[in-house]
Amino acid sequence: MMEAENNETKKKSIMVWTESKDLSLLRTIAAEGIFVNTKAGSRESGAAWLNVASALVAESLTVTARSVRDRYHILAKK
């Protein structure tokens, strides 16, 4: 029973991407120069996505490098 209570208090909040958050993401990606300075799938590329996520976390967004990369790919398909 104690475990169930701990799991309920550790729930992560779900962030909803808005247009302003998308713009912030795209600005940060452009500033990092992910597509100019790194090859896709390289360690440097992974580190660049991590830098983008860190910059967005500093702006009070709850994101990970994976969520940032996934959101960019969704926006790129539009």
Side-chain angles (χ1 to χ4, degrees), residues 2-53:
M2 187 68 162
E3 290 179 30
E5 290 175 12
N6 286 339
N7 288 340
E8 290 177 12
T9 59
K10 291 183 181 181
K11 287 184 180 179
K12 294 182 181 180
S13 61
I14 297 174
M15 187 190 78
V16 177
W17 287 97
T18 62
E19 187 173 338
S20 63
K21 291 176 184 176
D22 286 340
L23 289 174
S24 181
L25 167 67
L26 294 174
R27 283 188 195 109
T28 308
I29 289 171
E32 185 66 33
I34 290 178
F35 304 108
V36 176
N37 300 328
T38 62
K39 288 177 64 175
S42 67
R43 288 184 185 190
E44 292 81 13
S45 176
W49 285 113
L50 190 59
N51 290 341
V52 169

Side-chain angles (χ1 to χ4, degrees), residues 38-70:
T38 62
K39 288 177 64 175
S42 67
R43 288 184 185 190
E44 292 81 13
S45 176
W49 285 113
L50 190 59
N51 290 341
V52 169
S54 296
L56 293 174
V57 166
E59 295 179 18
S60 301
L61 299 178
T62 54
V63 296
T64 63
R66 174 77 184 250
S67 66
V68 166
R69 189 177 66 232
D70 290 347

